[in-house]
Each structure stands twice: as structure tokens, then as C-alpha cells.
């Protein structure tokens, strides 16, 4: 088997973070009072609201910015964000759903082999940094994709990136390198 | 300067211009005679506000260095002295520190971080010169928290674009052992506990190398590994009096800290050693356990390569790779165990797959019974359906009938149909079936598989089998333990359930633009009565 052969690696997206604006100020007290599944963090000035379907958690700020986390795809994130905006609308705010964007995607991927981390780090300086005293994984940054990969000796790779596409191409890029240092 | 003339006193030509604080002087370097002096100050009128000579010049102190920088440099120098580093290191560290402080990233940071920055510079320098210094040491010298140190260290590395080679484990072993107080007789170390430094060093090094070959070092903090290896080495050099000494006491005697993970590392090392010992022909007669195996560490290390190759299936990774590529969660090594089975079976000259081997099938009941376990569906022995490859199944049945109660069981091969990866491990280890009681050797095999394979998965469904497998487990391992793959321990004993392949895609994947009905939204909003009730409740609180 060689690195170029066609390999289907499952990339499991575990979290998608997105933000949007409502273009109006939000009365957090009102949301806390009339919304269900809410937590009002008065000291920080935000409200957490959870939706059941899709399962997301939204952080609502009084400025009208909302951060949604917990979705497992970009589409789901958008759907959840729209639902949340709709709920806010129902509460009586003049909500306009704007500036939606996915800001961060977290995914995991299992390589079908173990990886020799010291060797991998040596071959991939300066992108890779391995400090077993700090963290068991090698941290590998791909600047062009703005993606960061945590590569574990077991073959698990955790990827964070600005969107799903970047995450997928980050895994594609890293594969030949980890393949070289496989057990 | 020398061309300017000669000293009238001694005739030497080496005249030196020297600044005695603010005052220029021409001095003979040979005899020290002052030939001429500049004016200490100019005339009063020239000198407005009496500031002709800046204070910093008049004192000879370089005040243009900020106080922070001076302090930091002194810190770095002190640290180097404390660590007894060569002078070159000090210079490099100081220059790193100066460079770092000029960077905007370290301008507006807390004093604490600036102090740590000095430590980071020393640390980086040491690492670059392959000087074994751990973060723990630097942190304890600076009274710093490790996470803060780590953040400063990582940003320093990024900002200065430094490339820091990995910490050399061998060097670390040497320095770490040197800090042990077991080499000279002292009041609190009993005589049998004293050890020769070279001997201990050599053996520890061997153990650490063994550990790194067996995935016990990768991704782990190095110091606990070294501590555990040193402890084992120390015990093995004179097992008699030392076997009863626990790791904690050893560390106390040696005057080193006991890092908490050292116990885990010790356990893992012992497991590896036990696995190796099972392959050493002259140890096979003994029932080795974690205590007694220590006595044979010397032998084991000597034949390390051979034993490792025999005790663990090395190629497993490869095969697994081939097979598992398409599979979502290779973590469980669904394939590995299979290959193992093959090996162990061959050893026993049992060819599972070849029907011609009927006569041998005596042994084969094991497999069958195991399967049951792995599939996890039949808690009751006799009635159980064992799946084996269909052809085989029928063969086994026939041949088995005489010695094993298994007769009724239908064997189905689990590998083909069982979705549970680890379960397949059990296949080769016969002991689990409740049926197997009568066959002793099967039981012993079991152990292995039940212990290492998939702790979580096979067991719950077959409590009976487990109960039986366990007691015999200890012995079984050494007898002819099924080869287990050489893998990082976290894969062999997964603490958390591995993720399901991929949550089955929902029937309709959302596009993000579906219409949203009002009724869906209502579940997230409180009704008017609810709001009233909520207000009231709040009032009481």
C-alpha cells in the first residue's frame, strides 16, 4: 500500500461554531424570562439558549450578536442559527438574520495506523511541534488553510479549521506525511 | 593609539585612551602612567543645567537598558549559574532574551511572564545544545506554573522562529539518575539498597529503550517513564532485598519526586516484560507474575529484539492497515486479532480453516466457545450458537462431540459477521465459554484475550464466561499467550468508547434553508401562564 492509493478516511465533524447578527439590541432579561431552556449569565452579560433540534447551544449577547456551537455540519449550523433567530423574533425583537458565518470547525479522523511522533516531528519542522511534557500530541499548523492538527501516536487526528473544506483539505495534506512516519 | 607617542616614564608605545567615567584619559598600558586627562567638566557656562555629562555616562552604568531587561538578563545569568551551564549557553540565552524583549509580542505582558521568558530562553538554549533539561526543572527553579510556562515557551518559539530539537531521552536518563542518592552510602539508605551508578544506568537505559520500542514513551511525559524504568532496573539488580520495596519508598530513598504517572508506566512496563518472559524458553516452566519477572529483567533485555518479535505481533499494524482502511474506527483493530489468531493457531498446528484437520479439532472447541463470547449474544453456554465459518462449523461439531459438551453449538465465524471488532480477539482464546470448563488449556488461553482484547465489550454480555476466564487468566498468559499486538496502551485498554463510525446520516440532511414553522419555535418559548408562574417563583426566591 502506498500513500497515494485511494483511501477513504472518515472525517467526523464534531463541532461547528458559527456567528450571526440580529441587527437589533436584545433585552437579555426578556429572553431569560420568556425563553425556555435558557441560562442567564448576568455577570458576563450573556444568555445561553439551547435548541433541541438541531442540537445546538447559542450564546446571545445584548449587542445582537449570537454565537452558535454544537452543530455537526455547516448546514445544520445554519439551520439552527435561523431557528434561533426565529425564536428571538417571536419574542418580539426586530430580528434580521444577517452576517451568518461559520467561524470554526472541529473534526476528528482516525488513521488506520499508529504514528511515530518523534520521527514525524523531526521530518516536519517547523510546522510540527511535539512537547511530550506539555501535551501528548504533535501540534501541526497549516498556515495557508489556517488549520491546526493535533496528531496522536494512536493515529487519531483532531483538526480545527475555519470551515469544513479547510478541515478536509488539511487532512488530505497531512496524510502523506503521517503515512511516512507510520509504525 | 599607539602611534600617538610613547610613554615618557617607561618608553612603551602602548598608550590607551580610557574613559574613567566621564573623564577621558590617555594611559600607558604598560606602566599605568596617566599621560593626559580630559577635563572632568567643561566650564560652567558651557554646561547648561549642569547636564553636560549624562548621569548614565558618569556612572558607567548602561542605563539605556531598561530595568526590566537588566533584571531579566541577570535572572538568565543566575539561572545558568544555578544549572551550571557552560558559558556559551549563557550568552545564547541572554541574546535570545534580548531579542525576545524587543518583540511586540512580549511588550505588554505581565511581569510574571517576563520572568518566565528568561527561563524559557535558558530552556530553549539547553534543548538546542542537547542539554537534558526538563520544563519541570525550570518551572521549579522559577516557582512557575507549568501551563503558564508552556504558553510563554510556545509563543517564544513562534515569535523567534526557533527550531527546538526533541529532548533526548538517553541524556535525560543520565542526568535524572545522577540526581538519585543511591550511589553513596548515606545514613538513610540501607546497605542493600545501594547501587553502582554505571550498572544502574546501563540497565535503566535498556529498559527505557525497551519502553520506547513498545509505545510506552510516545506522547508521555518522559520523567515518569525514566523513574519507573530506574525503579525496575534497581530492583532487578538485586531482587532479594529490594522486591518488597515499593516505588514510593524507592523515590523517597533516592531523594527524587515521585511523579504520579510513574505507577502507570511501571505497570505497563511490567506487562511488556511479562509478555516477553512468556517467550523465553527457560522461563516457561515458572509461573511468572509481576514480582518474579523482575528477577529476569537482565535476561529479557539481553534478548530484547528476539523476544519482542515473538511476544508481540509486529506486523499487525500493517495488516490491520490494509484491512481497516475502509473502516471508520480502526482503533479497535478489528483485523489485528485475526492475524494473531492465525499465528497462535498455527503454532498449535491447528489449522482452523482447513477441514482436513478434523482430527485436531479437539482443540478447536476453544474457538467455538470463544466466539460465543465475542458475539456477546448468548449468555447461556450450551444453547449458544457459535458462529464460525460455516464449513468449519459443521466439522467442529462432529469432531468435537466426543470431548466437549459443545456439541450442540453451531459455529459461525465471528470475524465475518460480528460487527464488534475486539470480539474477534476472543476467538483464539478458548477459555471463555462456559462450556470449556473441562478443557484446562483453553481456559488459560482465555485470559489473554479477555484481559487485553476488549475489556468492555465482550464481558457484559457473558458474565458466566468472564467469571471462569478470569481466575485462570494469570497463568494463561505465559503458557502460550495469544500474541497481542504491540500498540500504545490506550488502544489496548480504551478508556472511553470509541466513536461510532459515523452517526448514521439522518434521513434528510438539512440544507440550512428549510422553512421553519411556528409550531417548532413555540417549544422554545414560554407561554404566558408559564411566565407568570416563573415570575412568582422568582419572587419567592
Amino acid at each position: 500500500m502506498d500513500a497515494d492509493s485511494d483511501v477513504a478516511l472518515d472525517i467526523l465533524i464534531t463541532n461547528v461554531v458559527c456567528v450571526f447578527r440580529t441587527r437589533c439590541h436584545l433585552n437579555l432579561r426578556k429572553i431569560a424570562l420568556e425563553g425556555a431552556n435558557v441560562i442567564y449569565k448576568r455577570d458576563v452579560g450573556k444568555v445561553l439558549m439551547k435548541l433541541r433540534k438541531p442540537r445546538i447551544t447559542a450564546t446571545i449577547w445584548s449587542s445582537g450578536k449570537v454565537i452558535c456551537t454544537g452543530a455537526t455540519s455547516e448546514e445544520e449550523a445554519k439551520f439552527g442559527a435561523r431557528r434561533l433567530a426565529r425564536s428571538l423574533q417571536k419574542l418580539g425583537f426586530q430580528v434580521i438574520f444577517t452576517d451568518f458565518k461559520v467561524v470554526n470547525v472541529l473534526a476528528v479522523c482516525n488513521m488506520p495506523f499508529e504514528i511515530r511522533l518523534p520521527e514525524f516531528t523531526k521530518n516536519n519542522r517547523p510546522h510540527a511541534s511535539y512537547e511530550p511534557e506539555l501535551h501528548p500530541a504533535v501540534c501541526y499548523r497549516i498556515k495557508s488553510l489556517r488549520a491546526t492538527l493535533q496528531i496522536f501516536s494512536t493515529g487519531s487526528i483532531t483538526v480545527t479549521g475555519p470551515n469544513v473544506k479547510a478541515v478536509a483539505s488539511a487532512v488530505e495534506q497531512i496524510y502523506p506525511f503521517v503515512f511516512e512516519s507510520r509504525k | 593609539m599607539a602611534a600617538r607617542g610613547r610613554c615618557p616614564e617607561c618608553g612603551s608605545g602602548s598608550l590607551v585612551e580610557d574613559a574613567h567615567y566621564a573623564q577621558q584619559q590617555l594611559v600607558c598600558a604598560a606602566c599605568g602612567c596617566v599621560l593626559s586627562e580630559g577635563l572632568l567638566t567643561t566650564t560652567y557656562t558651557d554646561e547648561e543645567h549642569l547636564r553636560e555629562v549624562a548621569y548614565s555616562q558618569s556612572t558607567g552604568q548602561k542605563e539605556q537598558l531598561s530595568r526590566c531587561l537588566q533584571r531579566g538578563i541577570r535572572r538568565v545569568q543566575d539561572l545558568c549559574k544555578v544549572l551550571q551551564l557552560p558559558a556559551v549557553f549563557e550568552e545564547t540565552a541572554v541574546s535570545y532574551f534580548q531579542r525576545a524583549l524587543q518583540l511586540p509580542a512580549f511588550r505588554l505582558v505581565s511581569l510574571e511572564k517576563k520572568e518566565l521568558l528568561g527561563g524559557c530562553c535558558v530552556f530553549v538554549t539547553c534543548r538546542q545544545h542537547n542539554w537534558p533539561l526538563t520544563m519541570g526543572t525550570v518551572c521549579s527553579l522559577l516557582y512557575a506554573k507549568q501551563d503558564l510556562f508552556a504558553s510563554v515557551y510556545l509563543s517564544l518559539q513562534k515569535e523567534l522562529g526557533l527550531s527546538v530539537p526533541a529532548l533526548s531521552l538517553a541524556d535525560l536518563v543520565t542526568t535524572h539518575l545522577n540526581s538519585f542518592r543511591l550511589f553513596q552510602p548515606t545514613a538513610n539508605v540501607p546497605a542493600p539498597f545501594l547501587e553502582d551508578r554505571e550498572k544502574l544506568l546501563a540497565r535503566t537505559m535498556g529498559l527505557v529503550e525497551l519502553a520506547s520500542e513498545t509505545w510506552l514513551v510516545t506522547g508521555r511525559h518522559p520523567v515518569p517513564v525514566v523513574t519507573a524504568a530506574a525503579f525496575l532496573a534497581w530492583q532487578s539488580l538485586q531482587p532479594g532485598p529490594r522486591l518488597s520495596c515499593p516505588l514510593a519508598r524507592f523515590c523517597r530513598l533516592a531523594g527524587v519526586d515521585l511523579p504520579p504517572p510513574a505507577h502507570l508506566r511501571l505497570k505497563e512496563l511490567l506487562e511488556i516484560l511479562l509478555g516477553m518472559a512468556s517467550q523465553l524458553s527457560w522461563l516457561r516452566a515458572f509461573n511468572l507474575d509481576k514480582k518474579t519477572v523482575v528477577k529476569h529483567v537482565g535476561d529479557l533485555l539481553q534478548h530484547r529484539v528476539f523476544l519482542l518479535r515473538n511476544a508481540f505481533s509486529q506486523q499487525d499494524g500493517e495488516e490491520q492497515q490494509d484491512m481497516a482502511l475502509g473502516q471508520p474506527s480502526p482503533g479497535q483493530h478489528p483485523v489485528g486479532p485475526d492475524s494473531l489468531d492465525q499465528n497462535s493457531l498455527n503454532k498449535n498446528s491447528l489449522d482452523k480453516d482447513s477441514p482436513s484437520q478434523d482430527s485436531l479439532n479437539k482443540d478447536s472447541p476453544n474457538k467455538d466457545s470463544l466466539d460465543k463470547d465475542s458475539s456477546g449474544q448468548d449468555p447461556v453456554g450450551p444453547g449458544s450458537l457459535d458462529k464460525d465459518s460455516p464449513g468449519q462449523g459443521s466439522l467442529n461439531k462432529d469432531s468435537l462431540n466426543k470431548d466437549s459438551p459443545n456439541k450442540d453449538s453451531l459455529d459461525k465465524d465471528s470475524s465475518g459477521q460480528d460487527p464488534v471488532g475486539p470480539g474477534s480477539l476472543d476467538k483464539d482464546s478458548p477459555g471463555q465459554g462456559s462450556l470449556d470448563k473441562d478443557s484446562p488449556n483453553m481456559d488459560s488461553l482465555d485470559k489473554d484475550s479477555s484481559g487485553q482484547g476488549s475489556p468492555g465489550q465482550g464481558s457484559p454480555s457473558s458474565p458466566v464466561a468472564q467469571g471462569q476466564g478470569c481466575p485462570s487468566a494469570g497463568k494463561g498468559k505465559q503458557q502460550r499467550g495469544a500474541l497481542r499486538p504491540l500498540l500504545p496502551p490506550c488502544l489496548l485498554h480504551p478508556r472511553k468508547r470509541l466513536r461510532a463510525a459515523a452517526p448514521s446520516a439522518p434521513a434528510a440532511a438539512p440544507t440550512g434553508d428549510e422553512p421553519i414553522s411556528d409550531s417548532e419555535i413555540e417549544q422554545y418559548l414560554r407561554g404566558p401562564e408559564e411566565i407568570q408562574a416563573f415570575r412568582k417563583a422568582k419572587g419567592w426566591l
Side-chain angles (χ1 to χ4, degrees):
Chain A
M1 199 183 79
D2 69 325
D4 305 326
S5 65
D6 206 12
V7 177
L9 284 174
D10 270 338
I11 301 175
L12 187 63
I13 295 170
T14 52
N15 189 18
V16 175
V17 182
C18 65
V19 297
F20 69 92
R21 278 178 49 206
T22 58
R23 287 242 200 118
C24 66
H25 280 274
L26 302 172
N27 181 352
L28 296 186
R29 219 181 99 77
K30 186 173 162 69
I31 300 175
L33 196 63
E34 296 179 21
N37 294 333
V38 289
I39 304 169
Y40 185 13
K41 304 248 178 186
R42 206 187 301 256
D43 45 342
V44 215
K46 68 179 181 187
V47 170
L48 299 180
M49 183 165 179
K50 301 198 178 191
L51 299 193
R52 244 171 263 129
K53 197 185 150 212
R55 201 188 295 274
I56 60 163
T57 302
T59 314
I60 304 167
W61 304 88
S62 64
S63 65
K65 285 194 177 160
V66 180
I67 305 170
C68 301
T69 59
T72 55
S73 72
E74 290 190 2
E75 293 77 27
E76 200 183 293
K78 183 163 186 195
F79 185 45
R82 283 177 56 237
R83 271 200 136 170
L84 196 103
R86 192 64 182 275
S87 322
L88 293 177
Q89 227 167 26
K90 279 265 168 186
L91 287 176
F93 300 107
Q94 297 296 312
V95 171
I96 303 168
F97 183 75
T98 48
D99 292 350
F100 171 84
K101 83 180 170 220
V102 172
V103 289
N104 192 292
V105 173
L106 178 78
V108 294
C109 178
N110 278 310
M111 296 291 143
F113 44 79
E114 289 79 46
I115 301 161
R116 293 201 173 91
L117 297 186
E119 187 187 314
F120 174 80
T121 322
K122 215 158 119 197
N123 298 340
N124 292 286
R125 284 185 192 292
H127 307 290
S129 113
Y130 172 49
E131 293 294 338
E133 286 187 73
L134 300 180
H135 188 53
V138 169
C139 174
Y140 189 97
R141 286 173 208 278
I142 303 180
K143 275 237 177 80
S144 56
L145 295 172
R146 296 198 294 131
T148 306
L149 299 98
Q150 304 285 341
I151 301 162
F152 292 83
S153 60
T154 57
S156 316
I157 297 184
T158 314
V159 198
T160 52
N163 53 48
V164 171
K165 210 172 142 232
V167 164
S169 45
V171 173
E172 255 167 47
Q173 272 196 29
I174 200 77
Y175 185 80
F177 299 122
V178 290
F179 189 84
E180 265 173 30
S181 310
R182 75 192 187 284
K183 186 191 134 189
Chain B
M1 265 182 258
R4 215 172 291 175
R6 296 188 163 275
C7 171
E9 296 293 317
C10 62
S12 154
S14 54
L15 296 185
V16 181
E17 224 169 275
D18 185 30
H20 185 240
Y21 299 132
Q23 198 176 17
Q24 286 294 318
Q25 295 176 330
L26 194 63
V27 186
C28 169
C31 64
C33 170
V34 177
L35 301 187
S36 67
E37 314 184 309
L39 282 173
L40 187 58
T41 55
T42 51
T43 55
Y44 188 75
T45 45
D46 290 344
E47 195 176 329
E48 283 172 52
H49 313 301
L50 292 172
R51 292 292 301 274
E52 176 69 2
V53 178
Y55 172 76
S56 60
Q57 288 170 337
S58 72
T59 55
Q61 283 272 1
K62 287 194 194 157
E63 274 288 325
Q64 66 266 36
L65 290 185
S66 70
R67 195 175 297 177
C68 166
L69 190 58
Q70 286 177 28
R71 235 173 86 118
I73 291 177
R74 214 171 308 140
R75 252 274 148 83
V76 172
Q77 288 167 339
D78 289 348
L79 200 56
C80 290
K81 281 194 193 96
V82 168
L83 293 167
Q84 299 180 331
L85 302 178
V88 198
F89 288 27
E90 193 176 310
E91 283 166 28
T92 326
V94 168
S95 77
Y96 280 152
F97 185 73
Q98 282 171 332
R99 264 171 66 195
L101 267 199
Q102 285 164 8
L103 295 172
F106 295 107
R107 277 278 158 68
L108 288 171
V109 297
S110 63
L111 271 181
E112 200 183 358
K113 276 194 174 177
K114 281 189 179 168
E115 285 196 359
L116 287 188
L117 188 62
C120 288
C121 291
V122 175
F123 179 69
V124 167
T125 316
C126 286
R127 286 277 289 269
Q128 286 181 332
H129 289 85
N130 283 326
W131 187 278
L133 176 67
T134 58
M135 280 182 208
T137 317
V138 182
C139 285
S140 66
L141 284 174
L142 294 173
Y143 306 109
K145 275 188 236 119
Q146 184 136 351
D147 44 357
L148 191 63
F149 182 85
S151 73
V152 178
Y153 169 65
L154 291 177
S155 65
L156 174 74
Q157 219 176 326
K158 203 170 112 203
E159 294 295 327
L160 290 186
L162 299 171
S163 137
V164 182
L167 184 62
S168 149
L169 205 53
D171 292 340
L172 183 65
V173 172
T174 318
T175 45
H176 193 63
L177 285 196
N178 281 343
S179 67
F180 282 27
R181 283 178 306 189
L182 287 172
F183 309 115
Q184 267 98 39
T186 49
N188 54 355
V189 181
F193 285 4
L194 285 177
E195 192 47 74
D196 177 52
R197 180 192 309 242
E198 293 309 316
K199 265 159 70 184
L200 185 61
L201 187 57
R203 185 155 289 186
T204 310
M205 203 71 98
L207 279 169
V208 170
E209 275 167 26
L210 173 73
S212 65
E213 279 167 32
T214 51
W215 290 102
L216 297 187
V217 177
T218 337
R220 265 81 179 286
H221 202 292
V223 171
V225 179
V226 175
T227 311
F231 172 64
L232 263 183
W234 173 79
Q235 277 197 327
S236 68
L237 283 171
Q238 213 173 312
R242 293 176 186 171
L243 264 182
S244 54
C245 175
L247 180 56
R249 179 151 179 245
F250 167 75
C251 286
R252 218 167 35 241
L253 288 177
V256 291
D257 289 334
L258 172 60
H263 283 289
L264 298 174
R265 299 298 101 87
L266 182 62
K267 212 174 118 201
E268 289 160 358
L269 256 176
L270 281 171
E271 249 164 46
I272 294 286
L273 288 174
L274 273 174
M276 288 164 70
S278 67
Q279 297 297 315
L280 207 54
S281 48
W282 61 87
L283 293 183
R284 254 177 229 171
F286 304 106
N287 268 341
L288 290 181
D289 60 19
K290 293 198 168 175
K291 287 247 158 186
T292 45
V293 77
V294 175
K295 295 176 190 162
H296 310 286
V297 168
D299 289 343
L300 294 174
L301 284 181
Q302 202 178 344
H303 307 288
R304 184 173 83 205
V305 180
F306 168 78
L307 290 177
L308 274 183
R309 204 176 50 227
N310 281 2
F312 305 99
S313 72
Q314 302 266 24
Q315 326 75 329
D316 151 76
E318 298 282 318
E319 287 167 37
Q320 177 201 336
Q321 217 172 61
D322 294 339
M323 317 271 299
L325 268 183
Q327 298 182 4
S329 63
Q332 288 284 14
H333 310 292
V335 185
D338 278 319
S339 59
L340 290 182
D341 293 353
Q342 233 68 326
N343 297 344
S344 58
L345 288 175
N346 290 345
K347 239 198 282 177
N348 303 331
S349 76
L350 261 190
D351 199 358
K352 217 212 258 210
D353 298 328
S354 67
S356 61
Q357 294 274 5
D358 288 4
S359 57
L360 290 178
N361 278 352
K362 233 193 290 199
D363 280 341
S364 59
N366 305 347
K367 296 178 229 163
D368 308 346
S369 58
L370 289 180
D371 290 352
K372 175 202 342 202
D373 230 17
S374 61
S375 61
Q377 291 150 354
D378 309 304
V380 190
S384 65
L385 284 181
D386 282 351
K387 313 181 182 186
D388 228 10
S389 59
Q392 212 187 342
S394 55
L395 289 175
N396 288 346
K397 231 199 290 183
D398 306 332
S399 60
L400 290 179
N401 286 348
K402 34 181 163 172
D403 357 355
S404 70
N406 275 354
K407 317 167 200 183
D408 331 70
S409 61
L410 293 175
D411 293 357
K412 284 189 240 161
D413 196 296
S414 57
S415 65
Q417 291 138 353
D418 274 8
V420 191
S424 56
L425 261 187
D426 294 4
K427 222 196 306 189
D428 64 317
S429 63
Q432 293 146 336
S434 49
L435 305 173
D436 289 324
K437 275 181 247 188
D438 61 322
S439 62
N441 60 350
M442 296 172 202
D443 280 352
S444 61
L445 278 181
D446 238 11
K447 200 87 111 41
D448 242 349
S449 60
S450 64
Q452 298 164 347
S454 56
Q457 313 209 357
S459 44
S461 54
S462 58
V464 183
Q466 272 288 341
Q468 294 193 339
C470 287
S472 58
K475 294 171 238 157
K477 223 176 211 174
Q478 293 105 26
Q479 307 281 332
R480 45 164 189 177
L483 298 187
R484 73 144 160 115
L486 204 50
L487 292 173
C490 59
L491 280 182
L492 298 168
H493 316 279
R495 205 178 285 169
K496 64 173 185 182
R497 215 160 17 94
L498 289 166
R499 276 192 188 82
S504 54
T511 59
D513 298 319
E514 299 90 341
I516 298 168
S517 68
D518 282 359
S519 58
E520 303 170 1
I521 297 304
E522 262 148 32
Q523 59 175 324
Y524 299 120
L525 307 177
R526 291 194 173 116
E529 320 81 70
E530 214 178 336
I531 294 175
Q532 281 305 321
F534 184 66
R535 269 182 205 276
K536 224 192 251 171
K538 273 202 113 181
W540 293 334
L541 294 173

